Amino acid sequence: MILWILLALMTAIVAAALLYPLYRRPEALAPDNAGEIEVYRDQMKELDRDRAGGLISAEEAEYARAEIGRRLLAAAGKENVDAADAAKASGLRRMAIGIVTVAPPAIGLCLYIMLGSPGLPDQPLEARLANPGNDMSLLVAKAERHLAQNPNDGSGWDILAPIYFRTARLGDAELAYRNAIRLIGPSAARLSGLGETLVVANDGIVTEDARSAFEEAVRLEPGDVRARFYVGVAQEQAGKAADAKATFEDIAKASPRDAPWMGLINEHIAKNGGTVAAPAAPPSLGGPSADDVAAAQDMSQGDRQDMIRGMVDSLASKLEADPNNIEGWLRLVRSYMVLGDRDKAEAALKAGLEHFSADGSEGRQLVALAREIGLSAEGAANPGATPKMGVTQ
């Protein structure tokens, strides 16, 4: 009932705002020719006086009377036309008032009946929290209420921490990770999550607390690629290029050549003065054979780069002829980043998104790759910030 009262009140306010200018009646104004008519009538009276006084002849008097009468009739006809226009305008005003009074409530009621749920009973917050369904905000609110009553539930903090991080509630995410670590103990996933939260909160800078968290995560789980990556980034930011290169090369050696993070790892290897291997490509895209890869190991750095660039150019040509190959676009973008050609990588990314909608599964892979390697794809990434590793533990 309260909802209906509010809807009726809002409708009345809107109708009043629309009707106010229509209800204002213009001040009654004398016709523009009212003075003109009075002048002609005075002239008639003056003509009668002149005729009675013998100032003009009877013939002249009749001629003047006919001329004045013609002008008087013309002025009176104009006055009648103005009155008819005013009556017509008044009729249109009444019609507009009727439309404004009836149309908004009728349209609003029809839309509410079609799209709303007039028969649904009111649900207070308590009832909605008891049955949140798939509403993430209600699920989070329910978990927060539980933790407010049970602050020592480490599992609850552990569940909320990554949700806070994904929704950019970085302060809450840090608190949740620290509480989970304090209550149920450290793990590689929790420490890496805490470290990554600190990095994002500090605009991509790996702080001392973040570095300690990542190093502890690596100690607990040496295969944690995300933690090892950020350890290398910390070394890179500290100016320890040799240590950073060794860290990234160790990650590359322990990772499959087609791992989704290899493009980013190779970029950091090259940035710190290392040598990257030729990117792998599936046979359907004309990738290098095993003999090609073996021969490349004996080449100079310049020759190897030329060979890699040739393969990448060949891949680009194949994609122009057959653009419906998402794996090819992903590999092309990564390869350009490995070669240090950011402009071509962005161009390839945009070209791929022209063939695959960003809302589809293939397009989402391209957008995810953009975030991973720090490219800009329609606002999907933040260039210049340290990218997140596309790895889940």
Side-chain angles (χ1 to χ4, degrees):
M1 181 58 67
I2 294 177
L3 175 63
W4 288 106
I5 294 174
L6 291 176
L7 291 176
L9 181 61
M10 293 173 62
T11 302
I13 293 173
V14 172
L18 295 174
L19 290 173
Y20 177 70
L22 298 176
Y23 271 116
R24 293 180 60 190
R25 294 182 177 275
E27 296 180 359
L29 299 176
D32 294 340
N33 58 345
E36 183 181 358
I37 293 174
E38 290 300 321
V39 169
Y40 293 147
R41 289 172 177 169
D42 288 342
Q43 287 179 350
M44 284 287 193
K45 295 176 182 177
E46 186 178 354
L47 181 61
D48 291 339
R49 289 194 296 269
D50 290 344
R51 176 71 182 87
L55 297 178
I56 59 174
S57 64
E59 183 181 354
E60 290 174 338
E62 290 299 325
Y63 177 79
R65 187 184 299 279
E67 180 62 24
I68 294 173
R70 184 185 64 79
R71 294 181 181 180
L72 180 59
L73 290 173
K78 182 179 179 182
E79 182 179 9
N80 291 334
V81 171
D82 292 341
D85 290 342
K88 183 179 179 180
S90 178
L92 291 175
R93 187 185 304 109
R94 286 194 295 271
M95 184 184 297
I97 289 173
I99 293 174
V100 171
T101 304
V102 175
I107 294 174
L109 181 61
C110 291
L111 289 175
Y112 181 65
I113 292 174
M114 291 172 57
L115 304 176
S117 301
L120 187 66
D122 293 339
Q123 281 192 314
L125 179 61
E126 189 71 32
R128 285 183 286 143
L129 289 177
N131 185 25
N134 293 324
D135 190 326
M136 182 56 68
S137 61
L138 288 179
L139 289 170
V140 171
K142 185 175 182 179
E144 288 174 337
R145 171 176 289 195
H146 168 76
L147 288 172
Q149 299 170 352
N150 303 276
N152 292 324
D153 182 2
S155 298
W157 292 111
D158 197 31
I159 293 172
L160 272 185
I163 297 176
Y164 282 148
F165 179 79
R166 287 195 295 271
T167 55
R169 295 174 58 177
L170 300 179
D172 293 333
E174 179 184 352
L175 176 62
Y177 274 121
R178 291 190 185 279
N179 283 338
I181 292 171
R182 174 176 58 84
L183 293 170
I184 57 179
S187 70
R190 296 184 196 107
L191 289 166
S192 293
L194 173 61
E196 192 167 17
T197 300
L198 295 172
V199 170
V200 175
N202 287 277
D203 297 325
I205 302 300
V206 183
T207 62
E208 185 65 24
D209 283 348
R211 183 188 60 78
S212 298
F214 289 127
E215 289 179 346
E216 179 66 12
V218 172
R219 188 186 68 79
L220 293 176
E221 188 174 325
D224 188 334
V225 177
R226 178 172 55 167
R228 295 172 67 191
F229 167 78
Y230 279 110
V231 169
V233 172
Q235 295 167 336
E236 182 181 287
Q237 292 177 351
K240 301 177 181 179
D243 292 341
K245 178 172 73 71
T247 299
F248 291 124
E249 286 177 343
D250 288 342
I251 296 174
K253 291 176 183 177
S255 303
R257 293 187 62 217
D258 59 350
W261 56 84
M262 279 303 299
L264 184 60
I265 297 300
N266 286 334
E267 181 184 350
H268 281 277
I269 291 174
K271 183 177 180 180
N272 289 281
T275 300
V276 299
S284 60
L285 296 176
S289 65
D291 292 338
D292 293 333
V293 174
Q297 306 305 318
D298 298 327
M299 293 180 178
S300 64
Q301 175 67 14
D303 291 340
R304 185 182 295 110
Q305 288 292 101
D306 289 341
M307 186 193 79
I308 294 173
R309 189 169 293 279
M311 290 189 297
V312 173
D313 291 341
S314 175
L315 174 58
S317 298
K318 292 181 182 295
L319 287 173
E320 287 182 4
D322 179 20
N324 297 319
N325 191 322
I326 184 59
E327 290 298 329
W329 287 110
L330 293 170
R331 200 171 301 280
L332 182 63
V333 173
R334 290 196 195 99
S335 298
Y336 278 134
M337 288 299 288
V338 171
L339 293 172
D341 200 334
R342 187 184 189 87
D343 291 339
K344 286 190 176 182
E346 289 183 347
L349 184 64
K350 292 177 181 178
L353 288 174
E354 289 178 0
H355 295 285
F356 300 102
S357 170
D359 297 331
S361 59
E362 295 87 353
R364 285 197 293 269
Q365 293 182 55
L366 285 167
V367 173
L369 176 62
R371 293 195 183 104
E372 176 187 318
I373 62 179
L375 287 179
S376 174
E378 301 178 350
N382 297 318
T386 301
K388 296 191 296 181
M389 287 292 292
V391 179
T392 57
Q393 297 296 332

